[in-house]
Amino acid sequence: MKKFLASGVALVLTAAAANAADVYEPQPQPDLYEQAPEIVVQEASGWYLRGDVGYSFKKLRGAEYFQGSNGNLVDFRSASLRDSFMLGGGVGYKINSYLRTDLTLDYSFNSKFRGSTVGSCGVSTACTSSDYASLHAYTLMANAYVDLGTYGYITPYIGGGIGGTYVKWSNLRNTSCADDGSGCDGEVSHGGKKSWRFTYALMAGASIDITCNWKADVGYRLRHVSGGDMFGYALGGGPGKDKGYYSHEARVGARYTFGGCDAPPAYEPEPEPIVYK
């Protein structure tokens, strides 16, 4: 009997010890993340629209015209273009994190031209002519940009473009006055010309993240417009041509990228540690 009781006690102790060594596993809790509605966020498509305003500081490379019946091609003694505002827009595509392209159309508001020429009013009397006109222009360009990395919210870039500028000159009005003060001729008007000109540009600037879709853009563009016809023949003078001009442009704009933004990684709770009891 004693042996039987001792065996029973040993069996009970062994079972209790085995139960004490069992691993405790916490009961599963309801997954609050699975209960939340799924939010689908699309990746940005890469296509974007842009709009810009700016101010153009123009530098005329010179002007020339055919003078009198002898047909000599001579330079204006002085020729300058005033600065003007500009407005533009375009559509583009961001190829990857470093390269994007766009097609832009810009309008340059009227720039006033002022020049002077010298000639002869008679056999021995010299005359100086004062000349006035203006131009406005449309520029269509294909551009490519290299983004130089993003630092915080700012992405600097450089770029270049080629295209054409449609330059439209107003009538050129000139008045000749004798240098000795003996009098002035009446005003003569030369018909203004219009033409497409080859154009190239170099750009540098930075874009600033406002939201995942909107970016502000601040930049500088150097644009070179080649020369072309300026005005026609009238009363023994003309036609004339300009030698082209440089445009130094300070620009501010915005870009809107279609589509949403990349979704942030979903939050996953850390696994609970295994507890032994």
Side-chain angles (χ1 to χ4, degrees):
M1 179 61 69
K2 291 180 179 180
K3 291 182 178 181
F4 177 76
L5 291 176
S7 299
V9 171
L11 181 61
V12 171
L13 292 176
T14 302
N19 289 333
D22 285 345
V23 175
Y24 169 75
E25 296 183 0
Q27 296 296 321
Q29 300 295 323
D31 191 345
L32 299 178
Y33 303 98
E34 293 181 356
Q35 295 177 2
E38 182 180 1
I39 300 176
V40 179
V41 181
Q42 298 179 348
E43 294 185 356
S45 66
W47 289 100
Y48 64 84
L49 293 176
R50 66 176 301 157
D52 301 276
V53 295
Y55 194 76
S56 172
F57 302 88
K58 291 183 173 64
K59 174 65 176 178
L60 188 66
R61 300 180 63 199
E64 56 190 8
Y65 70 106
F66 287 95
Q67 184 183 54
S69 59
N70 55 19
N72 289 333
L73 185 63
V74 297
D75 287 333
F76 276 67
R77 185 174 68 174
S78 66
S80 64
L81 270 178
R82 298 291 298 273
D83 306 331
S84 68
F85 287 97
M86 59 186 311
L87 183 66
V91 59
Y93 187 78
K94 186 175 178 64
I95 299 172
N96 53 44
S97 298
Y98 300 99
L99 184 62
R100 56 187 171 88
T101 63
D102 58 33
L103 183 67
T104 57
L105 177 64
D106 295 310
Y107 174 70
S108 296
F109 292 88
N110 272 351
S111 295
K112 294 182 179 181
F113 167 84
R114 183 172 183 176
S116 64
T117 59
V118 293
S120 124
C121 299
V123 177
S124 59
T125 305
C127 287
T128 299
S129 175
S130 298
D131 304 271
Y132 301 92
S134 65
L135 71 78
H136 63 271
Y138 299 89
T139 298
L140 181 65
M141 298 198 71
N143 311 288
Y145 310 86
V146 177
D147 291 327
L148 304 177
T150 300
Y151 307 90
Y153 297 98
I154 300 176
T155 304
Y157 65 84
I158 56 175
I162 58 173
T165 298
Y166 183 73
V167 176
K168 184 175 182 180
W169 281 100
S170 71
N171 292 347
L172 179 81
R173 307 178 314 279
N174 63 357
T175 303
S176 296
C177 295
D179 292 347
D180 61 8
S182 59
C184 298
D185 295 334
E187 182 179 273
V188 177
S189 179
H190 300 257
K193 298 293 186 177
K194 50 191 177 183
S195 61
W196 280 99
R197 319 278 189 87
F198 174 74
T199 304
Y200 69 85
L202 300 173
M203 293 85 77
S207 60
I208 304 169
D209 295 335
I210 300 175
T211 69
C212 53
N213 296 103
W214 285 100
K215 294 181 183 293
D217 194 303
V218 179
Y220 162 79
R221 182 171 75 173
L222 168 64
R223 184 163 52 100
H224 174 246
V225 180
S226 61
D229 293 336
M230 183 177 177
F231 58 88
Y233 173 87
L235 295 181
K241 296 184 176 183
D242 67 83
K243 298 180 181 181
Y245 62 90
Y246 293 104
S247 177
H248 300 272
E249 301 164 4
R251 300 164 63 91
V252 177
R255 302 201 307 266
Y256 178 80
T257 302
F258 291 101
C261 304
D262 294 338
Y267 171 75
E268 295 182 1
E270 296 182 359
E272 297 185 10
I274 299 176
V275 179
Y276 295 91
K277 291 187 177 180

